[in-house]
Amino acid sequence: MTKNASGVKSKIWLSAPHISGHEEVYIKEAFKTNWIAPLGPNVDGFESDLEGYLENESHVTALTSGTAAIHLALKLLNVSAGDEVLCQTKTFVASVNPVIYVGATPIFIDSETKTWNLCPELLEKAILDRLQKGKKPKAIIAINLYGMPYNVTDIHAIARKYQIPVIEDSAEALGSHYKNQPCGTFGDLSILSFNGNKIITTSGGGALVSRNRDTKKRAIFLATQAKDPGINYTHSEVGYNYRLSNILAGIGRGQMQVLENRIQTRRAHYEYYKNELQHISDIEFLEEPENYFSNRWLTAILFKTKTIRDGVLQALSKENIESRPSWKPMHQQPMFENHPSYLNGVSDNLFERGLCLPSGSNLTDVELDRVNLVIKKYFG
Ligand SMILES: *Cc1c(COP(=O)(O)O)cnc(C)c1O
């Protein structure tokens, strides 16, 4: 076991960046050709790599972050002050913050146990209730949490029935698919993230995936300060500075070459944990339902009780191993207190009992063993 000079065991991270070695070629090229700007051949190349990977008429706009991509998605759907947006409550806060940026109100919807994602029945119930209260929701934000696709068939049937556009937050799910179609291609608009902890990274970055070229054009317009045509810097509307740097896009191009490998590795980690720990009756794994394929961005497991979960988290932390409770639902966040929510107890329960285990694709067998042994030891 690796210890440093002071005898502390080396840190095991939840999901560390994993560089492939292919990135530097693109970065060097950017320096050599002086494309040190938020546009250039790497930005174009990274977008076309992603479009080739996603297929299904995907048009990709590379941006500074996944959060920026959600913000632009809301702008593209004309969500504005006073509007309501339906959002999965069980998620990372970045899914919801942009709703506040545009002055709209997030309405939180609970999850189903099968996928941990949006519960179709509750979604429809919420829509009917909002309609009855006199306001039609402007958008639905559906999440592919930890890489597990949401129930695409049912959620989109409801969205179509009530004609509400879906923003698919696929920040955690590049490489996942549902009925053999890639996540990131289901939303009217979809978003991806390349933050340092995601399955591939540009250090920081994101993308908006739209279904046609005109929407992509408008996304680029908004992401580059909304400058009207002509030489005079005339602006008829508010824009943003959201385009991805050509240097960072170079990292993305290198990362795209190993995406398949990263998916296989993270899935193998999930299988390892499952093989090692499934015999412990206090531990439960989130299985893939038929037609669902998860990139297993993070292996998230459930313990029988919160006390056990907290105990395991502490035992891991003592061994310098990072683990994390599964996302605290948005309806429990202090800043969203008293927000309208449609709840069934599932996300509260997952938050109490859920734990994310180290899942990075550069974890070594020795590190995985260390995690495994701490958990086994906890259960005697
Ligand atoms: C990471 C993440 C985001 C935000 O992406 P950034 O690139 O970090 O801004 C949004 N939604 C979810 C579910 C995420 O995990």
Side-chain angles (χ1 to χ4, degrees):
M1 194 171 303
T2 337
K3 293 187 181 185
N4 69 13
S6 54
V8 178
K9 281 171 199 152
S10 62
K11 177 90 177 180
I12 297 180
W13 298 97
L14 190 71
S15 181
H18 187 184
I19 285 308
S20 69
H22 301 297
E23 296 82 2
E24 278 173 48
V25 178
Y26 297 103
I27 297 170
K28 280 193 182 133
E29 183 67 17
F31 274 80
K32 213 169 75 191
T33 54
N34 204 35
W35 279 106
I36 315 294
L39 76 168
N42 283 337
V43 175
D44 298 341
F46 186 37
E47 287 177 347
S48 87
D49 289 349
L50 285 162
E51 286 167 358
Y53 182 80
L54 293 172
E55 298 182 323
N56 300 285
E57 265 304 309
S58 297
H59 298 266
V60 174
T61 309
L63 299 167
T64 49
S65 71
T67 310
I70 297 173
H71 191 187
L72 283 190
L74 292 163
K75 298 299 289 186
L76 289 165
L77 295 173
N78 295 316
V79 179
S80 57
D83 287 337
E84 292 185 349
V85 174
L86 303 173
C87 186
Q88 179 169 322
T89 189
K90 183 152 184 72
T91 187
F92 175 54
V93 71
S95 309
V96 181
N97 275 335
V99 178
I100 307 297
Y101 302 166
V102 300
T105 304
I107 311 263
F108 299 118
I109 318 279
D110 221 317
S111 291
E112 54 172 9
T113 50
K114 185 175 79 167
T115 62
W116 296 16
N117 292 315
L118 268 186
C119 168
E121 287 77 31
L122 262 188
L123 175 68
E124 182 157 33
K125 192 176 146 195
I127 293 171
L128 288 170
D129 193 51
R130 298 329 287 179
L131 288 174
Q132 213 220 333
K133 288 186 162 68
K135 212 165 217 176
K136 182 171 166 177
K138 264 298 193 50
I140 297 164
I141 302 180
I143 327 279
N144 300 311
L145 207 68
Y146 302 130
M148 183 64 78
Y150 61 84
N151 183 338
V152 173
T153 303
D154 290 1
I155 296 297
H156 284 267
I158 294 165
R160 263 193 309 275
K161 181 170 166 191
Y162 297 97
Q163 305 243 317
I164 303 173
V166 175
I167 298 173
E168 177 196 11
D169 180 345
S170 209
E172 301 177 357
L174 180 60
S176 301
H177 43 87
Y178 175 83
K179 293 189 177 169
N180 290 318
Q181 187 180 327
C183 288
T185 66
F186 293 111
D188 295 271
L189 293 162
S190 304
I191 73 99
L192 303 169
S193 168
F194 314 110
N195 197 14
N197 60 349
K198 298 302 204 289
I199 191 153
I200 63 165
T201 184
T202 58
S203 71
L208 181 80
V209 187
S210 49
R211 310 263 55 92
N212 59 64
R213 196 163 289 126
D214 284 349
T215 311
K216 171 170 172 172
K217 250 173 94 177
R218 171 126 179 103
I220 293 175
F221 168 77
L222 289 174
T224 52
Q225 308 288 20
K227 183 159 75 78
D228 292 346
I231 58 167
N232 291 322
Y233 285 82
T234 305
H235 302 273
S236 311
E237 57 186 308
V238 177
Y240 305 89
N241 184 4
Y242 277 171
R243 279 295 254 168
L244 186 64
S245 152
N246 190 61
I247 313 268
L248 303 188
I251 305 179
R253 295 193 78 183
Q255 291 271 288
M256 280 305 284
Q257 293 181 24
V258 292
L259 174 58
E260 222 44 65
N261 167 285
R262 300 299 186 249
I263 299 161
Q264 292 318 317
T265 306
R266 289 197 188 238
R267 285 177 61 83
H269 292 349
Y270 170 88
E271 290 301 330
Y272 168 83
Y273 286 130
K274 197 174 123 189
N275 285 333
E276 293 294 327
L277 302 171
Q278 65 182 350
H279 68 278
I280 299 172
S281 64
D282 284 350
I283 299 183
E284 210 181 298
F285 283 80
L286 176 64
E287 306 279 352
E288 284 166 334
E290 203 182 338
N291 292 320
Y292 290 71
F293 179 95
S294 169
N295 67 7
R296 297 292 187 191
W297 172 59
L298 294 184
T299 293
I301 60 178
L302 287 178
F303 294 94
K304 194 175 245 164
T305 66
K306 179 179 190 313
T307 313
I308 299 174
R309 195 279 308 273
D310 291 345
V312 172
L313 190 151
Q314 243 171 29
L316 289 167
S317 167
K318 237 190 245 158
E319 294 295 317
N320 212 13
I321 297 168
E322 185 188 19
S323 66
R324 187 193 284 160
S326 81
W327 300 126
K328 180 173 189 157
M330 291 304 113
H331 70 268
Q332 284 197 36
Q333 302 292 349
M335 72 167 156
F336 295 130
E337 244 175 20
N338 306 320
H339 249 67
S341 316
Y342 296 82
L343 305 175
N344 56 14
V346 172
S347 64
D348 289 339
N349 190 267
L350 294 172
F351 171 55
E352 286 208 331
R353 301 195 291 125
L355 189 71
C356 297
L357 298 179
S359 303
S361 46
N362 46 7
L363 286 173
T364 63
D365 288 351
V366 174
E367 289 174 319
L368 285 168
D369 280 343
R370 260 178 70 194
V371 180
N372 171 37
L373 288 177
V374 172
I375 298 175
K376 280 209 177 108
K377 197 170 143 209
Y378 178 88
F379 289 97

